[in-house]
Amino acid sequence: MKQIYGRPKILKEAHFHYCPGCGHSIVNRLIAEVVEEMKLRDKIICVAPAGCGMLLYNYFDIDTLESAHGRGAAVSTGIKRVLTDSLVFSYQGDGDLAAIGTAEGFHAANRGELITVIFVNNGVYGMTGGQMAPTTILRQVTTTCPAGRNPDSAGHPVKICEVFSMLDGTSYLERVAVNKPAAVIQAKKAIAKAFQHQINKTGFSLVEILSPCPTNWKMDPIRSCKWIDEVMVKEFPLGVIKEVTC
Ligand SMILES: Cc1ncc(C[n+]2csc(CCOP(=O)(O)OP(=O)(O)O)c2C)c(N)n1
Ligand code: SF4
């Protein structure tokens, strides 16, 4: 019988710690599939700062480093500049990249560092209990905005792809989601394309992935997936935001 689906070899025989319905597990799997299909196992290095995704060294059988919160792009820059033949990606949440790590991500993108950022946007600080993040939707309820995000006091959702698209150092920016099968297939293609931009030395690449956090959204997994389509995508439109021919 022909096998059409299997566990990527670089995913260790470990159980994910993610909550049921969490998008991180899908994103982890997609990265593993892409690394295997593009035969990047021996040259890829992952940097994972604080956030629910930080324990991915327990799952990936590749070189991984943990950085301080928000410092993924800075640490990735250092590794890539020394190990120029490696393929380096940082795996960052929205609290990480769009708040504490804004400076590092923004300037790495502006310098056109040959790194890739996998940016998992679930609209909250997942690991620490669901506080408001810069990407929280207006009027979305979180533990630190129980009456809903108010733009008068908390500003508007930060759109990292659109902001980074204005920087000359960026070569590939796409926003995808992992809330339904077709979207997951597109997310995988985007990850592969971002890695290809790094291989071709075109510039800084980033894939923003709208990802469910059922625990902190206080929704069941199915409702969370629907909420991405009904609410999140309206604020964060999907698609290629920028692509420089490589
Ligand atoms: C310097 C520092 N400040 C605060 C924290 C606490 N902290 C750990 S994870 C996190 C938020 C992570 O949220 P996000 O990046 O959105 O990732 P998620 O958990 O939602 O995937 C915070 C504030 C920390 N580890 N280090
Ligand atoms: S808290 Fe949210 S982001 Fe973290 S593992 Fe649970 S569902 Fe995923």
Side-chain angles (χ1 to χ4, degrees), residues 1-21:
M1 194 189 296
K2 188 180 164 208
Q3 184 179 348
I4 56 167
Y5 195 70
R7 190 187 187 89
K9 287 194 183 59
I10 73 152
L11 267 190
K12 296 180 194 169
E13 293 285 338
H15 293 292
F16 286 139
H17 70 280
Y18 306 120
C19 310

Side-chain angles (χ1 to χ4, degrees), residues 24 50-53 69 92-97 100 122 124-128:
H24 276 299
C52 282
H69 198 18
Q92 303 181 242
D94 47 308
D96 191 86
L97 180 69
I100 192 170
N122 58 23
V124 288
Y125 284 51
M127 187 182 214
T128 43

Side-chain angles (χ1 to χ4, degrees), residues 6-239:
R7 190 187 187 89
K9 287 194 183 59
I10 73 152
L11 267 190
K12 296 180 194 169
E13 293 285 338
H15 293 292
F16 286 139
H17 70 280
Y18 306 120
C19 310
C22 175
H24 276 299
S25 51
I26 301 172
V27 180
N28 282 193
R29 163 139 197 144
L30 293 182
I31 293 170
E33 288 180 359
V34 170
V35 169
E36 200 154 285
E37 287 164 22
M38 292 178 76
K39 301 189 177 15
L40 299 171
R41 164 73 181 78
D42 295 332
K43 62 187 304 193
I44 198 151
I45 299 171
C46 170
V47 177
C52 282
M54 71 188 281
L55 296 176
L56 49 69
Y57 53 75
N58 284 331
Y59 314 130
F60 286 139
D61 186 21
I62 58 172
D63 288 330
T64 51
L65 258 102
E66 200 176 317
S67 80
H69 198 18
R71 309 300 178 247
V75 173
S76 298
T77 296
I79 295 170
K80 181 72 183 194
R81 286 191 179 198
V82 174
L83 302 174
T84 50
D85 286 339
S86 61
L87 192 135
V88 184
F89 74 100
S90 63
Y91 185 101
Q92 303 181 242
D94 47 308
D96 191 86
L97 180 69
I100 192 170
T102 318
E104 287 80 0
F106 182 93
H107 289 291
N110 189 45
R111 292 190 306 268
E113 298 293 345
L114 296 177
I115 59 172
T116 301
V117 174
I118 303 297
F119 171 43
V120 181
N121 178 2
N122 58 23
V124 288
Y125 284 51
M127 187 182 214
T128 43
Q131 295 87 352
M132 178 174 61
T135 49
T136 299
I137 304 286
L138 292 186
R139 285 170 286 283
Q140 182 181 344
V141 170
T142 74
T143 50
T144 47
C145 52
R149 180 178 184 164
N150 177 352
D152 295 338
S153 55
H156 291 258
V158 170
K159 297 181 176 69
I160 285 287
C161 280
E162 284 79 352
V163 171
F164 281 19
S165 71
M166 296 163 76
L167 306 174
D168 288 343
T170 55
S171 77
Y172 179 67
L173 306 165
E174 180 167 356
R175 185 179 292 116
V176 294
V178 286
N179 62 331
K180 54 191 176 190
V184 170
I185 291 168
Q186 185 56 34
K188 182 175 171 181
K189 284 183 189 159
I191 293 169
K193 210 160 186 186
F195 287 164
Q196 194 59 53
H197 270 253
Q198 184 176 159
I199 292 166
N200 294 354
K201 302 186 179 0
T202 327
F204 176 99
S205 53
L206 177 146
V207 181
E208 176 173 345
I209 304 173
L210 305 184
S211 173
C213 174
T215 300
N216 288 305
W217 293 359
K218 315 281 183 227
M219 297 175 198
D220 65 45
I222 293 173
R223 183 78 207 106
S224 302
C225 288
K226 288 187 176 152
W227 193 78
I228 288 181
D229 274 342
E230 291 166 6
V231 180
M232 229 179 159
V233 163
K234 297 202 168 81
E235 185 67 45
F236 297 106
L238 303 183

